[in-house]
Amino acid sequence: MSEEAQKLAPRAEAEPAERRYTFSPDLVTLTEGRPGEAEAVRTIRTHVIARHLNDGRRGLAICGPKPGVGCTFTAANLAVAMSQVGVSTLLIDGNLRSPGLRDFIRPEEPIDIRRQAALGASPTENVHSEVLPNLSILYADGMMDIGEELLGGGGFRRLIDRCLRDYEFTIIDTPPTSDSSDALRVASIIGYALVVARTNITRIKDVEHLARDLQEDGARVIGAVLNQA
Ligand SMILES: Nc1ncnc2c1ncn2[C@@H]1O[C@H](COP(=O)(O)OP(=O)(O)O)[C@@H](O)[C@H]1O
Ligand SMILES: [Mg+2]
């Protein structure tokens, strides 16, 4: 068995009717082995509910200045944590060029690229509903070729508008801002951002720049997470 296959242990009880998923041990809100990290995510959840959701805001982009700070880790775990308290949650992989969500929650069947390509036209067709109770996911695999067109055009905005109507909470994992301007575009469309930094690695200057860029592009930064991986 490959190292990756070993890392992704199957969990039969989380199985929807027609699709099966494997969950990474790094999905600490689901697995029981890392209670300290799970508790930290639940603390973030408490703040997001109190300071964001309860004010009627339904969308949040998770943004980081560099690769590896833990954006996808935070997005995936926060989405699961929200779903666990009964919030109908949609988790979107906004990293169209290099999707990473499937490393945390992997569908056993390959993601259907043709349906993904129809995203702008019919977004909800591509959503994996009820991956876990109250948790749906929109993967980005196969979007690379049309990513620029999608992000630049009105397709992504239409998609987000639809998601904000259909789900109580929509959370978007974004690519590092050091690699492209995609995250800034995604965050400005959804309107709100949570910034992730990694202890002992991320420089304060980079967080400041990111927060400023987000605000300039019209996304309000609701807080920052210091990830101590
Ligand atoms: N708090 C954490 N505890 C354990 N592993 C973590 C933590 N944060 C991130 N990781 C791991 O570090 C790697 C990079 O994190 P990831 O979320 O993919 O970064 P990013 O999306 O910012 O590039 C992944 O393997 C992820 O599972
Ligand atoms: Mg990522």
Side-chain angles (χ1 to χ4, degrees):
M1 198 189 281
S2 73
E3 197 181 313
E4 187 175 53
Q6 282 175 350
K7 209 176 158 200
L8 294 162
R11 286 177 64 94
E13 69 270 25
E15 177 184 310
E18 71 284 11
R19 282 176 165 135
R20 292 163 64 96
Y21 300 85
T22 50
F23 298 90
S24 158
D26 282 342
L27 207 61
V28 294
T29 40
L30 197 64
T31 54
E32 281 161 17
R34 286 147 69 177
E37 287 173 57
E39 190 51 37
V41 175
R42 286 194 285 270
T43 302
I44 299 169
R45 174 183 68 194
T46 302
H47 287 290
V48 168
I49 291 175
R51 297 185 188 163
H52 191 61
L53 212 59
N54 285 351
D55 286 344
R57 306 175 196 148
R58 300 162 79 98
L60 188 62
I62 310 298
C63 302
K66 295 262 169 70
V69 296
C71 259
T72 308
F73 175 91
T74 304
N77 278 293
L78 181 59
V80 169
M82 292 298 253
S83 72
Q84 287 170 337
V85 289
V87 176
S88 119
T89 303
L90 174 65
L91 173 60
I92 299 180
D93 191 340
N95 196 337
L96 306 184
R97 297 165 211 274
S98 177
L101 206 47
R102 63 171 136 66
D103 294 337
F104 289 79
I105 303 175
R106 182 185 295 272
E108 279 184 8
E109 277 175 36
I111 296 159
D112 187 334
I113 289 169
R114 281 165 306 167
R115 290 184 66 211
Q116 293 280 355
L119 190 67
S122 179
T124 43
E125 248 186 70
N126 301 287
V127 171
H128 289 221
S129 295
E130 299 290 302
V131 172
L132 292 166
N134 302 311
L135 179 68
S136 299
I137 297 183
L138 183 54
Y139 290 97
D141 300 70
M143 296 291 300
M144 204 141 54
D145 296 341
I146 62 163
E148 188 63 31
E149 183 193 324
L150 181 83
L151 280 172
F156 203 76
R157 186 175 291 279
R158 282 197 299 279
L159 165 67
I160 295 305
D161 286 346
R162 176 73 186 265
C163 296
L164 294 176
R165 277 202 304 274
D166 288 355
Y167 298 87
E168 286 177 277
F169 190 54
T170 298
I171 182 162
I172 307 193
D173 178 35
T174 71
T177 47
S178 58
D179 289 3
S180 72
S181 59
D182 288 0
L184 294 178
R185 284 146 98 178
V186 167
S188 73
I189 287 171
I190 204 153
Y192 299 93
L194 183 69
V195 171
V196 180
R198 197 148 180 166
T199 318
N200 297 332
I201 293 181
T202 308
R203 299 163 73 181
I204 289 176
K205 182 171 65 66
D206 292 336
V207 176
E208 280 172 0
H209 282 169
L210 173 53
R212 193 195 55 214
D213 289 348
L214 284 162
Q215 312 265 22
E216 278 176 9
D217 275 33
R220 187 156 154 202
V221 177
I222 71 154
V225 168
L226 194 54
N227 185 17
Q228 302 183 347

